[in-house]
Amino acid sequence: MKAVAVQPGVPDSVHLREVANSSLDSFSDGRGVLVKVLEVGVDGTDKELISGVYGSPPPGDDYLIIGHESLGVVVEAGHNVHELRVGDLVVATVRRPGHSIYDRIGMYDMTTDDDYRERGINLLHGFLTEYFVDEPEFIVRVPSALKEVGVLLEPTSVIEKGIDQGYEIQRRLRIWHPRRAAVLGAGTIGLLATMALRLRGLQVCTFARTKPRYLNSDLVEEIGGCYHSTKDMSLEEASRDHRGFDLIFEATGYSPIVFEAMTVLGKNGVLVLSSVTGGGRTIEVPADSINRGFVLGNKVVVGSVNASRDHFAEGIKDLSQGAIQWPGWLSKLLTHRIDGLENYGEIMRLLTKPKATIKVYVKVADE
Ligand code: BGC
Ligand code: ZN
């Protein structure tokens, strides 16, 4: 079967290759599930993998099949699989258990291992291929009503985890009633975070560089958020009218904005960081003032990566509710479809196209 792969560490090594067919033979316990891939989304992580600055191949291979945002259909299930059936629409989780105490209690999204294993990213092959196999523990059933937008579930799981971390931490306040939220970034993650926070009843201001109006700013407004451009204005100036956000979700991929976010975070607020910034940027920051604001305001900042199976379940709830509340809105996030694995060359071209690109995904096959 065909697969799209990179040689990790080698820039622009993305290629189509022939790989061994996936089969359930390796599962002697009858717990294997064979999934036919329908669609695979790509994101900044894939951009870094293709640029050769992130990721590692599985031990013994010199290539890595990329793709971690999957949508597929079960075509075969081992005799000991009772959770899933042939024909089920599914999405696979990304990270697999490692060795830390968190991994051993099923919280591998919280692993402290340095060599974490993630399908399509690090040490494990991904889903940008025709079929894949895995155990039911790592495969989530998706309602068929979400077929059109199911490829958004993995990125949705990432924002669910971030928001959940924020709310978990805020249980310290006993009666936390967040009203105002800011989302930094209006790409796929920023827009999905805007939706999830709107569904929780918060006022949401979404900040990004591009000046309105354009598709992303329209999408924010369609679900009752407000959009601000930070192009000519710092976050602090742009948010002057909304001082004191209770929750800020950062998803720009631009680390200096984190320190600006710290200054506009309200008392008792929580700042959730979700951008994996690959570079080595340094900046000067008003350290005393930020620190003083945090101490005197009992503020929290938390980093969040990956997602547990529960966050995928939360994602299904929010995608379903979002689809009911704002019909057609989620589909508008799917701006660029690449038809067929053989058009893999389009991935990098579209991921580096600055405007009008929200979610790029590869249509691999029909059901
Ligand atoms: C993926 C996450 C993953 C993270 C770090 C993101 O693009 O969506 O599942 O944990 O990259 O590798
Ligand atoms: Zn991702």
Side-chain angles (χ1 to χ4, degrees):
M1 63 179 188
K2 292 185 182 61
V4 177
V6 298
Q7 274 172 286
V10 182
D12 300 318
S13 58
V14 63
H15 60 279
L16 190 67
R17 68 190 296 139
E18 197 59 39
V19 297
N21 284 345
S22 297
S23 86
L24 298 187
D25 296 350
S26 52
F27 295 84
S28 51
D29 57 359
R31 293 282 290 157
V33 179
L34 179 66
V35 176
K36 178 181 179 186
V37 179
L38 302 177
E39 290 174 4
V40 175
V42 290
D43 69 357
T45 300
D46 298 289
K47 197 163 134 187
E48 296 208 324
L49 287 164
I50 294 172
S51 310
V53 296
Y54 189 48
S56 325
D61 282 338
D62 63 353
Y63 67 94
L64 171 78
I65 300 174
I66 61 172
H68 61 276
E69 301 179 3
S70 64
L71 179 69
V73 60
V74 174
V75 289
E76 200 184 332
H79 62 271
N80 277 329
V81 174
H82 311 293
E83 304 89 327
L84 293 161
R85 291 168 183 220
V86 169
D88 282 349
L89 191 66
V90 290
V91 168
T93 62
V94 176
R95 196 173 280 182
R96 298 292 171 266
H99 305 287
S100 79
I101 182 107
Y102 304 100
D103 296 87
R104 280 184 270 137
I105 62 164
M107 292 178 70
Y108 24 91
D109 59 309
M110 290 298 213
T111 194
T112 51
D113 291 356
D114 292 326
D115 57 346
Y116 56 86
R117 300 181 311 142
E118 292 181 339
R119 290 202 63 168
I121 302 175
N122 213 37
L123 301 167
L124 295 171
H125 287 308
F127 310 120
L128 204 38
T129 179
E130 294 178 66
Y131 295 87
F132 67 84
V133 287
D134 218 323
E135 293 163 43
E137 180 184 350
F138 309 118
I139 299 179
V140 179
R141 183 162 5 111
V142 177
S144 53
L146 287 180
K147 184 161 187 240
E148 298 303 316
V149 296
V151 73
L152 292 172
L153 180 55
E154 195 279 339
T156 306
S157 74
V158 167
I159 64 101
E160 295 294 351
K161 173 171 175 185
I163 293 170
D164 175 56
Q165 292 293 298
Y167 276 73
E168 274 292 300
I169 289 166
Q170 295 298 66
R171 294 208 304 205
R172 71 192 171 122
L173 295 170
R174 312 266 196 266
I175 52 152
W176 191 55
H177 288 302
R179 288 192 183 88
R180 282 183 304 275
V183 172
L184 312 182
T188 307
I189 294 289
L191 290 168
L192 289 169
T194 302
M195 179 193 77
L197 292 166
R198 289 291 301 132
L199 286 173
R200 283 160 183 73
L202 280 82
Q203 291 168 22
V204 184
C205 291
T206 303
F207 297 85
R209 279 172 56 91
T210 309
K211 289 184 188 176
R213 290 178 52 199
Y214 68 121
L215 175 60
N216 310 42
S217 69
D218 286 348
L219 287 168
V220 168
E221 283 168 11
E222 276 175 38
I223 58 173
C226 63
Y227 179 93
H228 298 282
S229 164
T230 57
K231 197 146 216 166
D232 319 298
M233 247 192 253
S234 69
L235 180 61
E236 205 175 347
E237 287 162 331
S239 61
R240 197 151 279 164
D241 300 338
H242 323 270
R243 266 205 110 85
F245 292 106
D246 302 311
L247 185 153
I248 303 180
F249 191 102
E250 198 294 315
T252 61
Y254 179 68
S255 57
I257 205 159
V258 167
F259 303 91
E260 286 187 47
M262 290 169 123
T263 64
V264 298
L265 184 65
K267 290 194 174 140
N268 287 1
V270 59
L271 166 60
V272 181
L273 307 181
S274 79
S275 298
V276 182
T277 45
R281 201 187 306 266
T282 59
I283 56 156
E284 211 172 272
V285 296
D288 275 345
S289 139
I290 290 175
N291 177 68
R292 188 170 57 245
F294 260 68
V295 171
L296 295 180
N298 286 297
K299 304 182 195 182
V300 181
V301 57
V302 59
S304 177
V305 70
N306 198 248
S308 72
R309 202 187 159 100
D310 288 346
H311 300 124
F312 279 75
E314 280 299 310
I316 290 174
K317 277 195 217 160
D318 276 356
L319 289 176
S320 306
Q321 211 186 318
I324 292 167
Q325 198 145 332
W326 301 292
W329 187 85
L330 286 164
S331 302
K332 287 190 232 168
L333 269 56
L334 300 170
T335 51
H336 292 76
R337 184 176 90 183
I338 297 169
D339 280 305
L341 292 171
E342 56 288 355
N343 286 318
Y344 66 90
E346 288 288 283
I347 296 173
M348 205 48 177
R349 193 181 69 79
L350 290 171
L351 284 176
T352 43
K353 220 171 133 182
K355 277 188 198 157
T357 303
I358 302 178
K359 177 48 67 187
V360 178
Y361 67 107
V362 182
K363 171 97 197 167
V364 178
D366 287 312
E367 208 168 317

